[in-house]
């Protein structure tokens, strides 16, 4: 038995995986030290506020939105227990998540809440809302196109069977 195989059996992954995990921990520790170097109390309050905002406001909002999307797309008829949601729900979840993530990262510029941006960069800050809306629309259009292509591909056997039945009926007449 080689050393790598024994390591993989004991650790559960390759040595490269362990090296990458340790490097990511080192990078996170460095970022944490740099972040807490200035205003430790302010950073701690920001983290607590973000956690409370997420848990008390955003998480219930996510859950209600997801339930609404599941009801919109319906559920499969299943046997025992609740049937899993249709895959179409994910074609709403993914673009909504990416759009929300983009808004989270760029919200000051999207909502035009930065006065110093134009002075610091020389670029106008009024384009971000339109660009974010266009990206969001493009994400939903791409997701809808993928959903339609999947549905078309899934219906292929049914279409071929119906075509075969029509040909068989035509041959018997």
């Amino acid at each position: 038995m080689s050393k790598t195989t024994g390591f993989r059996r004991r650790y559960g992954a390759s040595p490269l995986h362990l090296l990458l995990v340790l490097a990511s921990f080192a990078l996170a520790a460095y970022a944490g030290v740099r972040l807490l170097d200035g205003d430790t109390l302010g950073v701690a309050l920001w983290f607590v506020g973000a956690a409370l905002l997420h848990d008390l406001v955003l998480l219930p909002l996510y859950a209600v939105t997801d339930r609404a999307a599941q009801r919109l797309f319906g559920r499969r008829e299943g046997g025992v227990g609740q049937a899993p949601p249709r895959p179409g729900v994910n074609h709403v979840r993914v673009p909504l998540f990416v759009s929300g993530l983009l808004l989270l990262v760029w919200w000051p510029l999207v909502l035009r809440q930065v006065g110093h941006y134009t002075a610091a960069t020389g670029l106008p800050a009024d384009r971000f809302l339109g660009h974010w809306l266009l990206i969001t629309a493009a994400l939903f259009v791409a997701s809808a196109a993928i959903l339609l292509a999947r549905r078309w591909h899934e219906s292929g056997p049914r279409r071929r069977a119906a075509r075969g039945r029509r040909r068989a009926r035509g041959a018997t007449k």
Side-chain angles (χ1 to χ4, degrees):
M1 176 183 335
S2 71
K3 289 182 180 182
T4 305
T5 307
F7 179 83
R8 184 180 294 268
R9 193 179 70 238
R10 285 191 302 274
Y11 175 66
S14 71
L16 179 61
H17 180 269
L18 178 62
L19 180 67
L20 290 174
V21 167
L22 292 175
S24 69
F25 283 153
L27 182 63
Y30 172 74
V33 167
R34 293 292 306 239
L35 181 68
L36 295 174
D37 188 29
D39 183 18
T40 306
L41 181 63
V43 170
L45 286 174
W46 186 87
F47 272 117
V48 169
L52 288 174
L53 175 71
H54 177 267
D55 292 349
L56 298 177
V57 176
L58 296 178
L59 189 62
L61 185 63
Y62 304 154
V64 167
T65 305
D66 189 54
R67 291 286 176 140
Q70 287 181 18
R71 286 186 187 221
L72 177 68
F73 284 96
R75 291 190 171 268
R76 294 180 177 155
E77 286 79 28
V80 179
Q82 253 187 343
R86 291 187 179 201
V89 173
N90 291 333
H91 289 275
V92 174
R93 286 177 180 163
V94 171
L96 195 61
F97 172 76
V98 173
S99 176
L101 189 61
L102 288 173
L103 181 62
L104 180 67
V105 170
W106 297 102
W107 70 269
L109 294 171
V110 170
L111 300 177
R112 298 181 185 136
Q113 298 295 318
V114 243
H116 64 280
Y117 176 78
T118 304
T121 64
L123 300 172
D126 59 345
R127 296 182 175 176
F128 285 92
L129 176 62
H131 290 175
W132 176 73
L133 290 172
L134 283 173
I135 290 170
T136 299
L139 287 168
F140 277 99
V141 165
S143 184
I146 292 169
L147 177 63
L148 289 174
R150 283 185 176 173
R151 295 274 165 94
W152 176 259
H153 182 69
E154 289 172 358
S155 69
R158 287 191 303 261
R159 289 192 319 267
R160 285 191 291 277
R163 195 176 320 129
R165 285 191 300 271
R166 284 193 303 267
R167 285 185 188 151
R169 270 189 262 134
T172 59
K173 288 184 181 179

